[in-house]
Amino acid sequence: MKNRVVPCLLAAAAACAAALLLWALAIRFPGPLTHALSPVQVSPWEMGKATFFPLLAASPLLWRLERGGSRGGLCLMALAGAVLALALTYAPLPPAAVAAMAIGGAAALYGLALRRVSGDGLPWYALTVALAVAYILLTILPPGGGIFLARGDVAALAAIPF
């Protein structure tokens, strides 16, 4: 049991550090690259991005610490982190807490179940690449509704024709 917990905790800590670094870089050096990798606003889509890229960055560390594991499971961990962050954005929590909880939840999910994913990892790789491309493209050309709006945006409630 200890052999499973320690790598997941270290990977979650590394992912939280990567998220913090990406946010700091986006504040210090605002630009297209830093905005593509870190949240621009507190919307569910952007908070998913705040956990997805840091979990991808921590995946090689987890792979190395486990001396193997499941590459498809690592992709699923990043995808699960994005989905968890998307869901947690609606809770009355600060953005940093949402990202940390989603990263921790995804790492725990990997340690409990996703590390056992076997078989061909190609579908999970393709889905991970597709989501990464979607995050980058939809940061450049953001749509104007649904999960793309900031959680406190009144325009999300209704359009008032005044």
Side-chain angles (χ1 to χ4, degrees):
M1 184 69 170
K2 182 181 175 186
N3 292 339
R4 291 183 202 165
V5 173
V6 173
C8 290
L9 286 175
L10 289 174
C16 286
L20 184 63
L21 177 66
L22 286 173
W23 270 337
L25 285 172
I27 291 169
R28 179 66 177 104
F29 304 106
L33 178 63
T34 56
H35 287 159
L37 299 176
S38 64
V40 178
Q41 62 182 350
V42 184
S43 70
W45 180 259
E46 295 290 323
M47 290 309 295
K49 184 169 61 171
T51 61
F52 178 75
F53 289 117
L55 282 168
L56 277 182
S59 292
L61 173 69
L62 187 55
W63 174 262
R64 179 78 175 152
L65 289 173
E66 281 198 320
R67 294 178 184 88
S70 170
R71 290 181 180 162
L74 291 170
C75 290
L76 280 170
M77 177 182 71
L79 295 168
V83 171
L84 282 171
L86 191 135
L88 287 172
T89 303
Y90 293 108
L93 297 168
V98 168
M101 289 174 66
I103 286 170
L109 188 60
Y110 177 81
L112 293 172
L114 297 179
R115 65 190 305 273
R116 295 184 187 96
V117 172
S118 62
D120 187 18
L122 188 59
W124 306 122
Y125 298 153
L127 192 57
T128 302
V129 169
L131 185 59
V133 168
Y135 275 134
I136 292 168
L137 288 178
L138 294 177
T139 296
I140 296 168
L141 303 167
I147 63 171
F148 301 99
L149 289 176
R151 71 176 171 193
D153 194 354
V154 237
L157 300 176
I160 302 173
F162 288 22

